[in-house]
Amino acid sequence: MLNKTSFAVTRRMALLGATALLTLPRTALAQTEPVEGGRLVLIARPEPATLGLGLNLQAPTIYVGGKIFESLLTYTTDLEPMPSLAKSWSISEDGLTYRFELQQNATWHDGTPFTSADVVFTADDMMRSSHPRWKLLAETYVERIEADGDFAVIFTLREPFSAFIYAFELSSLPIMARHVYEGTDYRTNPANNAPIGTGPFKFVSWNRGQSIELERYKDYWDDSAAHLDRVTFLVIPDAASRETAFEQQMVDVLRPGDVEGFVARRLSETDNVVMTTMGEEFYAPHAFIQMNLRKPPFDNLKIRQAVMHAVDREFISNSIWFGMAAPATGPVSSRTAFYEPDVTPYPFDIEKAQSLVAESGLSGDDLKVTLTPLPYGQQWDRTAEYIAQQLTQAGLDVSIKGVDVSGWAQALSTWEFDLALNYTYQYAHPALGVARHYLSSNIIQGTPAANNEGYSNPEADRLFAEAANSVDPEETQRLYSEVQKLLVDDVALGWIFEMRSPTIFRDTVNEVVTSAIGVMDTMKATWKAA
C-alpha cells in the first residue's frame, strides 16, 4: 500500500514546472495561543440559493456550507491530502483500492452518530444521482463502494485513476446524513435550507436577505478545533456597502470578489489589515466565455475564433480586474499540473476578428446574440460590458441579458443561452476540474457546471480518458498537452483569465487560510484575538 509520504513525493514530481502566485499572510498579532469564543462576521455574496452543498456547486453555497459539512479529506497548500472525516487512508499498489479509516467520535448536528453508512449512502447514492462531477467520476471509474464495519470505507476502481485522491474535497464529495436524506427527494428536502452536518459549526437560522447564523457545535469530533462561538454571514448585495462594512469593522473577512480589485489593493495597504492570495491552490479559478455550440453563430468555428481575437485579455486582467488576474491561454490553469503553454495563440486583433466574422458567411439575425453575465458583482458586470462592446465592434449584434444567480444557473442548466460568462474550479487535476466541461458524456442538463456549451469531439474524449488512466507522468503530460492544443484549436470555450483571488482580513483574526481551499474550508482553526 502507498503511504502518505510516498504519495506526497509522487505529487511533487507531478507538479514540477507548475507555477503559483502566493502571497504569504503576515502574522496577525504577537498573541499565539488561540482565544476561545467570539463571533466571526463574513459576507454571503450573493445570497446562496440553497445550503444543500453537493446539490448546488455555486461558490456562495460552498462558502457557507463549508463550515457545516465536511468530506473525507482536505488538502495542504502544496496539494497534499490531510485528514478530515477520514483520519487515515491507504492506496493499493495497483491503484485500484482506496481504504479510508473514519473518525470514530464524529456525530451529526442532531446528535446521530456518523458512520461508514453515511459515506456509502453519500457516494454511492445521493451524490451519484445529484452531483455532476461525482456522478461522472463514479460512473466512469468506481466499481463499488462498501463499508468495512462502522468506521472504514473501501472504494474499488475499475481502472487506475491517478486523480482519485483529489475527489474528497468538501464540495466534491460533502458527506451527507443518511438518516436525513434517504428515501426523500434530495433537491426538495427541507434540510437543504436548514442543514445538518458534521462540521465545526451548526446551522441556527437563515433570515433571507439579511443573514445566516451558525454556532459552534459543542460535540464536534476535533476537540482542539472550533474556537469561535458563532459565525455570521451578512447578505450585503452592494459592493460599496461591503467595503464600508469592512472599514467600519462590521465584517472581519472579505473573501475573493467581495470588493472590487482596486478596493482590495487599497484595503490591503491600510493598518491592521492582512491580505493573502493563498488558499486557492486547489481551485485555481479559471474564467471563460461559454458559447452555445448547438446553433448559429457559435456552431461556426470562425465566429468562435473571432471572439478570441476580439477580446483583449490583458486589458481585462489589468484594467477591469486590477491585476488580480492573468490572461488565460487555454483550458488548464498555468498554476496546476499538466499545463501546456505551447498552444495556438489568439492575440488581440479587432481587425482579424472582423475579417473572421465576414468569412463566416453569417449575417442578419444569425449574428444577433445575448450575453448572460455572471451575477457575482460589478467586476463581472464590467467584464460583460467590455466583451459585449468588443464583440459588437467585431460584427456581432450583442445585447446583455442581466439575471440573478438563480436565473443565470437556470439559463446554463437548460442550455437557454447564446453567450454566458462562467468560471470553473480546476480541483487540483485536469481529470476532475477541466475534463467535465468538454467530455461529450457530460453534456447533461440540470447543472451549470457540466459541458453546457455542447462541445463534442471523440478525439478529445479519448485523450482525456487515456490521460486520466495513465500512471506514467511523462505520458500523462503528453496526452494532456495534446488535448489542450485540440481544444484551443476548436475554441471549445472562450478562455479569458486566471483569477488571482485575495482574501482580506483584520489582523485580530488568526488562522484564516489553513488549506488549499482557503476560506471555503471549515475555518475550524480560526480564532479572534481578545
Side-chain angles (χ1 to χ4, degrees), residues 181-322:
Y181 281 96
E182 189 173 39
T184 73
D185 181 338
Y186 303 144
R187 294 197 174 275
T188 61
N189 191 302
N192 296 336
N193 294 325
I196 298 170
T198 60
F201 299 100
K202 178 180 179 179
F203 176 82
V204 175
S205 64
W206 186 353
N207 189 356
R208 296 274 181 173
Q210 297 187 41
S211 65
I212 299 170
E213 293 282 348
L214 312 180
E215 66 181 9
R216 174 171 22 187
Y217 181 46
K218 296 179 181 178
D219 294 323
Y220 183 55
W221 59 266
D222 187 349
D223 294 337
S224 65
H227 305 295
L228 298 161
D229 282 338
R230 297 183 77 84
V231 176
T232 299
F233 292 87
L234 298 180
V235 178
I236 308 177
D238 179 65
S241 298
R242 294 193 290 270
E243 175 187 351
T244 300
F246 184 80
E247 290 182 317
Q248 295 182 354
Q249 303 187 37
M250 297 167 57
V251 168
D252 297 307
V253 178
L254 296 174
R255 77 173 175 92
D258 279 348
V259 295
E260 299 279 1
F262 72 92
V263 174
R265 284 194 175 277
R266 179 179 65 77
L267 291 175
S268 71
E269 295 168 356
T270 60
D271 293 338
N272 306 316
V273 173
V274 181
M275 183 182 83
T276 180
T277 57
M278 293 183 69
E280 63 172 14
E281 295 82 6
F282 192 90
Y283 295 131
H286 207 68
F288 51 81
I289 305 169
Q290 206 146 22
M291 296 172 273
N292 194 332
L293 309 185
R294 300 171 182 83
K295 58 183 180 179
F298 301 113
D299 59 350
N300 188 305
L301 176 59
K302 290 187 180 295
I303 295 294
R304 302 198 299 275
Q305 292 171 332
V307 170
M308 294 298 290
H309 283 295
V311 175
D312 187 342
R313 294 180 290 285
E314 291 277 359
F315 175 81
I316 293 175
S317 299
N318 295 326
S319 298
I320 299 179
W321 288 83
F322 303 100

